Amino acid sequence: MAGPLTGLTVLDLSRVLAGPWATQILGDLGADVIKVERPGGGDDTRGWGPPSVVHDDGEETAAYYLCANRSKRSVALDLGSAEGQRTARRLAARADVVVENFKAGTAAKWGLDYASLAAEHPGLVYCSITGFGQTGPNRDKPGYDFMIQGMAGLMSVTGSPDSGPVRAGVAVADITTGLYATIAILAALRHRDATGQGQHIDMALFDTQLACLANQAQNYLVSGRSPELMGNTHPNIVPYQDFPTLDGRLIVAVGNDAQFARFAALLGRDDWAGDRRFARNADRVANRETLVPLIARAMAGETTGHWRALLDGAGIPNGPVNSIADALGEDQVAARGLRVALPDAAGRLVETLAQPMRFSATPPDYRRAPPRLGADTEAVLKALDADAPGS
């Protein structure tokens, strides 16, 4: 069944992660995504390995590229040349959406900015993704995920006092910017469909990461105190962390006072539910230094499996700290179809992660494995010429 965005054309001029993440979502939902890459090397992430897939001709494609470029066609164009720019403009004239992540001012130099394209294509939805946006004192600075996690405050609350600030293990600033960009594009398409007018969307990694500080930023805005490094504990909920067991570690996430009462009973401490120090969450937060060691001592004498069975039976959220291999091996992954294998041009299956969205009528449409560089140049340009006036 065709995806919900079938019939839309997206010109993807982006590279690395935030832009490609957004366009992969659009492609999985049915849009025809034409990814423009520089000849000879392509998207930077094609070489961000190992690990890499080694093709029959010896060429390698890094796993990093594979994670964000499914459901696209690859066209090799030199956008630094006049001919490449003309071809890109012709492709943009037939697109509903353009996504780019050039440094501020680069697209205008090539005649590929929103103002230039919208003059002839007023319905165009155009999304720019940069580190700091199109305005402000940092607009000309490059922005990579790691530095954005630091500048936007995420690293100040990630890690422990012993470890110091730590970046998240995946590029969360890039990924969340890609998600917000997708939301913005879909909203702009809704506006376009209602009014006939497109618009320019200005997305910045810094803006997105700051917005995603969520309760941590709100804690500061309310209290005037910056949150500090707390390791695997939570600033507003106790107990909400991992605890050592006889054979590993188990995360316990007690979200309300009723859950805590049941949890205390499992530990043989029914009295905690009526203890003024622990009865309410606010009390537990204030007395965490007393309560947490007591919980840790109680849990250390039994296995992870023992506690999981008891906690599951009592409806108390819990889970192990899985490796990625263990996470991908969970029964839930198979049940939800969260791994997708697609044949590449040579017939080799390329396995990627599925979209987490579930539709009752128009599910994601995984049509293409991540493409080889320039694999679709001839077909796309031939179709472009065939559509030209007078052809």
Side-chain angles (χ1 to χ4, degrees), residues 21 23 63 66 70 163 166 184 196 209 212 264 269 290 309 331 360 364 380:
W21 196 260
T23 54
L66 299 177
R70 178 183 55 217
S163 71
V166 176
Q209 184 56 78
C212 287
R269 295 301 304 263
T290 300
D331 292 343
S360 64
V380 169

Side-chain angles (χ1 to χ4, degrees), residues 302-371:
E302 298 288 354
T303 66
T304 298
H306 168 86
W307 290 119
R308 290 194 73 184
L310 289 180
L311 293 169
D312 285 346
I316 298 169
N318 72 94
V321 181
N322 277 335
S323 68
I324 290 178
D326 290 337
L328 290 174
E330 286 271 0
D331 292 343
Q332 189 72 7
V333 173
R336 298 282 287 177
L338 296 177
R339 298 169 67 158
V340 175
L342 297 169
D344 64 14
R348 181 196 316 214
L349 288 178
V350 178
E351 191 172 27
T352 58
L353 297 182
Q355 292 292 348
M357 297 170 280
R358 293 292 178 271
F359 294 81
S360 64
T362 55
D365 184 13
Y366 306 111
R367 292 157 295 155
R368 298 184 180 91

Side-chain angles (χ1 to χ4, degrees), residues 3 236 252 320:
N236 306 112
V252 177

